[in-house]
Amino acid sequence: MTRTQVVIIGGGFGGLTAARSLRQAEVILIDRTNHHLFQPLLYQVATAALSPSDIAWPLRTLFRSHPNVRVLMDDVVSIDRAARMVHLRENTPITFDVLIAAPGSRHAYLGHDEWESFAPGLKTMTDAIQVREQMLLTFENAERRRLVTGVRDRPLTFVIVGGGPTGVELAGALAEIGRKAMGPDFPALRLENLSILLVEAGSRLLPGFDAKLSAKAAGALARMGVKIKLNSPVSTIHADGVMIGQEWVASTNIIWAAGNRAAPLLSTLSAPQDSYGRVKVRPDLTIPDDSSIFVIGDAAHCVGNDGKPLPGLAPVAMQQGHYVAHLINDDIDPDRRQPFAYTDRGMLATIGRAQAVAQFGWLHVSGLFAWLLWCVVHIFFLIGFRNRFRVMSEWVWYYLTFKPGARLLFERPSSPRNSPSTDHGHERGIKDRTQD
Amino acid sequence: MTRTQVVIIGGGFGGLTAARSLRQAEVILIDRTNHHLFQPLLYQVATAALSPSDIAWPLRTLFRSHPNVRVLMDDVVSIDRAARMVHLRENTPITFDVLIAAPGSRHAYLGHDEWESFAPGLKTMTDAIQVREQMLLTFENAERRRLVTGVRDRPLTFVIVGGGPTGVELAGALAEIGRKAMGPDFPALRLENLSILLVEAGSRLLPGFDAKLSAKAAGALARMGVKIKLNSPVSTIHADGVMIGQEWVASTNIIWAAGNRAAPLLSTLSAPQDSYGRVKVRPDLTIPDDSSIFVIGDAAHCVGNDGKPLPGLAPVAMQQGHYVAHLINDDIDPDRRQPFAYTDRGMLATIGRAQAVAQFGWLHVSGLFAWLLWCVVHIFFLIGFRNRFRVMSEWVWYYLTFKPGARLLFERPSSPRNSPSTDHGHERGIKDRTQD
């Protein structure tokens, strides 16, 4: 008996859950990296509170006890529905009986792709490391100028575009690290010299949450010194600043948290897509005319009970992955499939130390209690005991000391590699033995 | 009263110890990175056992309670003795009354700088991350070829050039991670397919240690499956292999641990240097004709009691940093300075889990006891409680599970950044909220 060959594109929350739930099928899980990324905590890597390996876990290790799942690190370039195969960048194509596309989304610039180089987004580990390096270098450069010239610098302005959870969490984390952790380390940075601006085109922060919680979040951020601009669409971004409505704000630290677009790969499916590039799936998460091609996670436009598309949340993706795996495990005929139904278990966003907002059905909470809930939920969902343990100890340490641990700059971007003549080597410190 | 202005070049073991020990002087510590690197554990980052932030610590945080020390992240381009100033890459020059040069050393290729691109060395964090990525990609590529073509790959050969402590530690760590951690994750890699070759030009491993301990180390490595070639100088290195004596060994994973050269910056001092580029210092660690310019650490050629130059060990650098700070603190006249005397507290090298060699004066030990000593000493010297705690928990975890935690590949090097058209984004998994 030949077993069903299932190809899963993407090792995020949806793809990972599907792969883990598939029992009999022969599964090939394709991801461009070698790890599952716990994206909800990516902003903590960007603000140097956590290390990359705290929120990422090698996919192969996660599937050690799943002999039916093979992991392949590669880029899927296109999907050929007729031939039932996916084309890869580095390999010959791979055929499938069933396809689960969970390629996720990427930040998008409202048609202004040229903004990306001035205002990086925050979707991948590479993004987070880039944001972290830029932030740390900004502090280092300000300190260097003061040390050499003797004058305090012009204000450092960080601009975060987008008042959703990522923007709110980034603004809160930056305010904390800037004032409490960087302050003692960089004497040039006094409180009044650091400015964090959170810009939102809509009328309130956290539009997915209840309006009262939005107000609580805005109040908490304001008390931490974050300036909030609502109803303020960004009209242009340059290397040295951003135009917000009619106002020009000078800043070399702009972070984009304002828009997403589903993976371009999806267009090769030739299925209907919405304006965000998400594939409009049927109630069983398949594409029209093909009951063995599923699209899940935030690559899918899946209509919920309220008639609106489900939000791009990790729980949605995980429930969808589980649902699809169940259909495949039990080999359920297309016409006998129950529609996918999302069980909303609530939403959380953290603002800073001991500050968060949470919404569980009728229960809306904020402040310390919401923050503790946030910690518990995130620790609980971190995959693998080891990361849970590390992240928890990291948070306890940071809570007690305000010394975030992941503030490393390896080399300045201007330093050429492999260039011994300009390589003065004085960062190496003392090597440990001479005979190496 | 004007305070003495001391400039320290390099935040390694020597420079850091000097800066911490200086009491009254106004100190500027210049380093090309923003952190102190615990270089003896760098090979553990290269083999994915530890994360970068486990063995590095921001210099600014280390000096929070030292108001007389300012940290400057920059490259020193040259030293101008006549003008008493150092020239920086990014800033105007800085003047000094006293200079402590601790710029360290860099791996050197015996006059064959062109080998560097095929056989990276291991001196900086960037080096370690490069070695780690290359190792992980080799495993991923082997697995990908088997998955797609169905045939097992040709053997994977890792070649380590240099049988000193770094070479021995790398070989042992690679043997362990390859066979025990990677084995279960990469079904294509069977034991007989992985080959680790340690090449040494001299007649034994660990030439700095007692000959019996060298033999113990060689025996332990051989039992772990490492092939050792002694009396085998490398005559050429290409992208696809290495010529060892008359034998060609095909390998795309060659790591260089065979030679060092002191920082090129030192030549601008116009002081006598030895053939490794180290400055020949006087007994008080100053350069000839200038009693307020010190050179310490493995940038210095400092003759020990046995008439030979002191080895480039962390304890030597730390004792030298302490000695120089004492001379400055007490403002001791050049003609009243006691010569620097190194107190040898022993040497350690680890081979693998529960395998090490140690030499403390007459006490020579190997095996589990030496390994436990090694763990205690390295944990003890790690700067900052937090890193100690993290590294210890990391080691305990690895010891129990053989699941090293830092095996992350973010993007394949061939993937262009900022190129949305080829950016299929499917590694992003499921983003956590839609309204970001």
Side-chain angles (χ1 to χ4, degrees), chain A residues 39 51 53 64 73 90-92 123 144 148 166 185 257 298 312-313 386 390 394 412 425 431 436, chain B residues 39 51 53 64 73 90-92 103 123 144 148 166 185 257 298 312 386 390 394 412 431-432 436:
Chain A
Q39 223 177 33
S51 286
S53 63
R64 273 194 190 175
M73 184 176 157
E90 313 241 343
N91 281 293
T92 49
K123 277 289 176 189
R144 186 161 55 205
V148 174
T166 293
D185 287 352
D298 59 355
L313 293 160
R386 184 184 152 283
R390 274 176 75 104
E394 205 61 24
R412 273 171 305 145
K431 76 181 188 65
D436 283 3
Chain B
Q39 223 177 33
S51 286
S53 62
R64 273 193 190 177
M73 184 176 156
E90 313 241 342
N91 280 293
T92 49
K123 278 287 178 189
R144 185 161 57 204
V148 175
T166 294
D185 286 352
D298 59 355
R386 183 183 153 282
R390 274 176 74 104
E394 205 61 23
R412 273 171 305 145
K431 77 182 188 66
D432 74 338
D436 284 1

Side-chain angles (χ1 to χ4, degrees), chain A residues 327-385:
Chain A
L327 296 185
I328 298 168
N329 283 339
D330 292 357
D331 197 16
I332 297 178
D333 279 344
D335 50 358
R336 297 186 49 239
R337 292 174 184 171
Q338 298 286 330
F340 170 73
Y342 171 56
T343 309
D344 184 0
R345 296 217 173 81
M347 283 194 301
L348 284 156
T350 185
I351 297 151
R353 205 164 70 151
Q355 286 289 346
V357 292
Q359 178 169 326
F360 301 99
W362 53 267
L363 178 69
H364 295 181
V365 287
S366 61
L368 176 67
F369 181 64
W371 183 77
L372 289 172
L373 264 176
W374 179 90
C375 286
V376 168
V377 167
H378 282 80
I379 286 288
F380 180 78
F381 277 111
L382 271 183
I383 288 167
F385 160 78

Side-chain angles (χ1 to χ4, degrees), chain A residues 261-331:
Chain A
R261 202 178 158 74
L265 167 71
L266 297 165
S267 64
T268 67
L269 265 179
S270 308
Q273 291 172 274
D274 69 10
S275 60
Y276 297 101
R278 295 180 292 192
V279 171
K280 292 181 175 172
V281 293
R282 295 185 290 183
D284 65 352
L285 306 180
T286 57
I287 62 174
D289 310 321
D290 200 325
S291 59
S292 56
I293 294 183
F294 298 88
V295 181
I296 63 175
D298 59 355
H301 175 114
C302 174
V303 178
N305 286 333
D306 57 0
K308 288 193 276 187
L310 292 175
L313 293 160
V316 174
M318 292 167 79
Q319 290 180 29
Q320 288 177 335
H322 199 75
Y323 166 84
V324 170
H326 161 71
L327 296 185
I328 298 168
N329 283 339
D330 292 357
D331 197 16

Side-chain angles (χ1 to χ4, degrees), chain A residues 9-10 12-14 31-35 39-40 51-54 56 58 60-61 64 70 72-77 89-92 103-106 116 123-127 129-130 137 140 143-144 147-148 164-166 169 181 184-186 208 257-260 263-265 278 297-298 311-314 317 348 385-386 389-390 393-394 397 402-403 405 407-412 414-415 417-418 420 422-436, chain B residues 9-10 12-14 30-35 39-40 51-54 56 58 60-61 64 70 72-77 89-92 103-106 116 123-127 129-130 137 140 143-144 147-148 164-166 169 181 184-186 208 257-260 263-265 278 297-298 311-314 317 348 385-386 389-390 393-394 397 402-403 405 407-412 414-415 417-418 420 422-436:
Chain A
I9 303 174
F13 287 109
D31 196 291
R32 194 158 75 160
T33 73
N34 71 341
H35 55 272
Q39 223 177 33
S51 286
S53 63
D54 291 334
R60 295 189 181 286
T61 305
R64 273 194 190 175
R70 286 177 297 171
L72 183 64
M73 184 176 157
D74 207 335
D75 255 345
V76 178
V77 177
R89 180 171 300 179
E90 313 241 343
N91 281 293
T92 49
S105 66
R106 180 88 183 139
E116 179 161 21
K123 277 289 176 189
T124 68
M125 192 65 90
T126 309
D127 295 339
I129 291 171
Q130 193 191 349
L137 271 176
E140 289 289 342
E143 180 73 8
R144 186 161 55 205
L147 189 64
V148 174
T166 293
E169 290 177 336
D185 287 352
F186 295 88
N260 289 309
L265 167 71
R278 295 180 292 192
D298 59 355
L313 293 160
L348 284 156
F385 160 78
R386 184 184 152 283
F389 173 72
R390 274 176 75 104
S393 65
E394 205 61 24
W397 177 261
F402 271 124
K403 289 181 182 172
R407 283 172 297 154
L408 303 183
L409 287 170
F410 301 136
E411 280 184 339
R412 273 171 305 145
S414 64
S415 304
R417 290 269 312 153
N418 297 330
T422 57
D423 187 351
H424 297 289
H426 67 250
E427 90 284 19
R428 278 129 212 153
I430 303 308
K431 76 181 188 65
D432 74 336
R433 299 152 192 110
T434 202
Q435 66 270 56
D436 283 3
Chain B
I9 304 174
F13 288 108
I30 310 173
D31 197 292
R32 194 159 75 160
T33 73
N34 71 342
H35 55 273
Q39 223 177 33
S51 286
S53 62
D54 291 335
R60 296 191 180 285
T61 305
R64 273 193 190 177
R70 287 177 297 171
L72 182 64
M73 184 176 156
D74 207 334
D75 255 344
V76 178
V77 176
R89 180 172 300 179
E90 313 241 342
N91 280 293
T92 49
S105 66
R106 180 87 183 141
E116 179 161 20
K123 278 287 178 189
T124 68
M125 193 66 91
T126 310
D127 294 340
I129 291 171
Q130 193 190 349
L137 272 176
E140 288 291 342
E143 180 73 9
R144 185 161 57 204
L147 189 63
V148 175
T166 294
E169 290 177 337
D185 286 352
F186 295 87
N260 289 309
L265 167 69
R278 296 180 291 190
D298 59 355
L313 293 160
L348 284 156
F385 160 79
R386 183 183 153 282
F389 173 71
R390 274 176 74 104
S393 65
E394 205 61 23
W397 177 261
F402 271 123
K403 288 181 183 172
R407 283 171 296 154
L408 304 183
L409 287 169
F410 302 135
E411 279 185 338
R412 273 171 305 145
S414 64
S415 303
R417 291 267 312 150
N418 297 330
T422 57
D423 187 351
H424 298 290
H426 67 250
E427 90 283 21
R428 278 129 212 152
I430 303 308
K431 77 182 188 66
D432 74 338
R433 298 148 191 114
T434 204
Q435 66 269 56
D436 284 1

Side-chain angles (χ1 to χ4, degrees), chain B residues 30-83:
Chain B
I30 310 173
D31 197 292
R32 194 159 75 160
T33 73
N34 71 342
H35 55 273
H36 170 73
L37 174 64
F38 195 84
Q39 223 177 33
L41 291 178
L42 199 55
Y43 78 97
Q44 296 216 351
V45 172
T47 53
L50 291 177
S51 286
S53 62
D54 291 335
I55 63 160
W57 197 238
L59 286 168
R60 296 191 180 285
T61 305
L62 292 172
F63 289 103
R64 273 193 190 177
S65 56
H66 294 247
N68 64 319
V69 178
R70 287 177 297 171
V71 175
L72 182 64
M73 184 176 156
D74 207 334
D75 255 344
V76 178
V77 176
S78 65
I79 301 164
D80 186 340
R81 277 171 61 179

Side-chain angles (χ1 to χ4, degrees), chain A residues 156-208:
Chain A
L156 283 182
T157 304
F158 288 83
V159 178
I160 297 157
V161 183
T166 293
V168 165
E169 290 177 336
L170 262 176
L174 266 178
E176 253 176 13
I177 198 175
R179 286 158 194 276
K180 302 219 173 133
M182 292 305 188
D185 287 352
F186 295 88
L189 288 175
R190 291 195 304 195
L191 291 193
E192 65 268 29
N193 271 16
L194 180 66
S195 161
I196 294 161
L197 183 63
L198 179 60
V199 185
E200 163 63 37
S203 61
R204 61 182 176 101
L205 301 180
L206 301 175

